[in-house]
Every structure is written in structure tokens, then in C-alpha cells.
Amino acid sequence: MKLPHKLTGIAFAAYMAGIIAFVVSAALVAINSGLGAGYLARVLQGYAVAFPVAFTCVVIFRPVVLFLVRKTVHPPPSA
């Protein structure tokens, strides 16, 4: 089962936010409390907070980032 094409931006935001929130949560938990017992549980607790924040930020700031990329990257050469 696939989502309709019009939800491409939301799917992108969900995947991007999910991956980034998990990686950042894992890194911060490791830095702050180490890799000992309960590490994964602590990561998932942080992830539960980080994912909604990251998802909201990706949805809100995606247009801004696309604008900045267009302003700072040369377009592809014409064929």
C-alpha cells in the first residue's frame, strides 16, 4: 500500500525526521549517560520527544531550505 503522490512532502518529512531524531537521540544519550544498561530504553524515551519536534521542523522549514538551496547552488547545465 502506497500513499498518494500529493503526500510526498509529508512522507519525506516523516522519514527525514525519524532518522535524524533517532540518530541525535542515540548520540545525546550516549554522551550524557553512556552506553550502559538501559541505553536503548533511554534512547527511545528521548526519541519520543525528539520525533514530533523534528517532524514539525522539517515540515515548517523545508520550503525555506529549498529556497536557500536554489539561492546557493548553480542550476544544472542546459543540455
Side-chain angles (χ1 to χ4, degrees):
M1 182 173 160
K2 291 188 175 186
L3 296 172
H5 182 73
K6 67 182 180 180
L7 295 178
T8 298
I10 298 299
F12 174 87
Y15 292 131
M16 181 63 75
I19 292 166
I20 290 174
F22 185 80
V23 170
V24 171
S25 295
L28 290 176
V29 168
I31 290 167
N32 289 320
S33 61
L35 299 171
Y39 171 73
L40 184 57
R42 292 191 312 275
V43 168
L44 294 176
Q45 280 183 317
Y47 180 74
V49 174
F51 176 77
V53 173
F55 178 76
T56 302
C57 286
V58 172
V59 169
I60 290 171
F61 293 113
R62 184 175 183 265
V64 174
V65 171
L66 291 173
F67 171 80
L68 292 171
V69 168
R70 280 193 305 274
K71 291 294 186 184
T72 58
V73 176
H74 286 289
S78 300

